[in-house]
Amino acid sequence: MAQTGMKHGRRAVMSAGVVLFAVSLVGVQAQASVASASATSGSGANSAKLSAGVKAQAQRDLLQLTDFTSGWVAGSTAAGPTRTSPWSKKLAACAGVSSAIAAIKPTKVSGPDYTSSDHTLAVEDSISVYPTAAQAKAAWKAQASAKTPTCMNRIGSQALRTSVQDEAGNGATVGSISIAALAPGTYEAGQTGYSVTIPLVSSGRQLTIISTQIEFVRGRFLHELTFNGNGVTFPPLLEVHLVRQVEARD
């Protein structure tokens, strides 16, 4: 790939994960500014405090650079915990999520981004801490509903395309983005998730960015890992390895 194409590809693949959560977060207002953990337009985000013990446990449960093979690098440390509701009113209504669940604002703790040496792969990791284990389980079930990715695609795909286009810059063209549930057999029991497919043309070259999110719940912790592939498929065995690493810690 030409250097210009690779530059646009890197910018787009890094934005794919940060705007992925924004689709559910703000529905039709997905914006690249959510790359900052504290920026969640229209979602009622604000700074949050966790007890020292809970915060330390969440940070221990997140991915570490030692979980990766050689050649991976860690980005800067993520911003401090924030409180956000992962459901806009429109998305919650579409997916049939109760107002009681949609109103909960868990505290989100994020780790650094991890990137492969050739910049074709990236991984993001975060934990949403709910007030109770029952609420975390209910939130996970809402995410696991077959309606959720369908509604995310219907409500947020166009806004997400605009967001990624802004990140990719004028030298690239982003095609129609699709959001879909993961196929059976691509995740394990107790997990759920969805994928975002982003076609991108840059300097006459075409590539497809695929961003996959895997979620599982442990007590009050709803763990969310995002795997980004920039024109390549994220290695399934590495994905499984990384998910199992954090599962073992929770």
Side-chain angles (χ1 to χ4, degrees):
M1 176 180 291
Q3 181 63 28
T4 301
M6 180 65 79
K7 180 180 178 182
H8 288 312
R10 282 201 302 268
R11 290 172 66 188
V13 74
M14 292 308 292
S15 70
V18 297
V19 297
L20 182 62
F21 186 64
V23 177
S24 60
L25 191 66
V26 294
V28 297
Q29 300 179 28
Q31 298 179 10
S33 60
V34 298
S36 167
S38 63
T40 48
S41 176
S43 66
N46 48 49
S47 61
K49 292 184 179 180
L50 293 173
S51 70
V54 172
K55 182 179 179 180
Q57 182 63 57
Q59 291 174 330
R60 285 195 299 268
D61 288 354
L62 293 169
L63 281 171
Q64 310 296 322
L65 187 57
T66 53
D67 295 322
F68 292 81
T69 54
S70 62
W72 283 76
V73 295
S76 58
T77 303
T82 57
R83 289 186 64 209
T84 63
S85 170
W87 301 94
S88 67
K89 290 182 178 180
K90 189 171 183 179
L91 180 61
C94 177
V97 177
S98 71
S99 57
I101 296 301
I104 300 173
K105 295 181 179 180
T107 302
K108 190 172 184 179
V109 180
S110 299
D113 295 335
Y114 296 94
T115 309
S116 62
S117 57
D118 61 1
H119 300 285
T120 61
L121 304 173
V123 180
E124 297 156 65
D125 189 19
S126 66
I127 291 174
S128 293
V129 184
Y130 281 78
T132 68
Q135 290 173 332
K137 186 66 172 180
W140 180 88
K141 287 183 176 179
Q143 291 284 8
S145 168
K147 291 183 178 180
T148 297
T150 299
C151 290
M152 290 171 66
N153 187 65
R154 183 187 309 159
I155 295 170
S157 59
Q158 183 55 50
L160 182 55
R161 178 186 179 187
T162 300
S163 177
V164 177
Q165 180 66 71
D166 289 344
E167 282 290 289
N170 294 330
T173 300
V174 179
S176 297
I177 292 177
S178 62
I179 304 170
L182 298 181
T186 59
Y187 56 95
E188 299 182 352
Q191 299 173 1
T192 190
Y194 47 90
S195 64
V196 178
T197 302
I198 306 171
L200 175 71
V201 177
S202 179
S203 300
R205 296 175 180 268
Q206 183 169 348
L207 70 152
T208 300
I209 298 165
I210 299 178
S211 185
T212 300
Q213 182 155 308
I214 297 290
E215 302 177 354
F216 62 90
V217 66
R218 292 290 186 276
R220 293 172 56 195
F221 290 1
L222 178 58
H223 210 127
E224 303 151 329
L225 295 102
T226 304
F227 303 94
N228 299 310
N230 177 15
V232 299
T233 300
F234 196 97
L237 291 180
L238 178 57
E239 181 179 308
V240 170
H241 166 73
L242 294 174
V243 172
R244 288 180 176 176
Q245 288 292 101
V246 294
E247 282 186 319
R249 295 190 183 112
D250 284 337

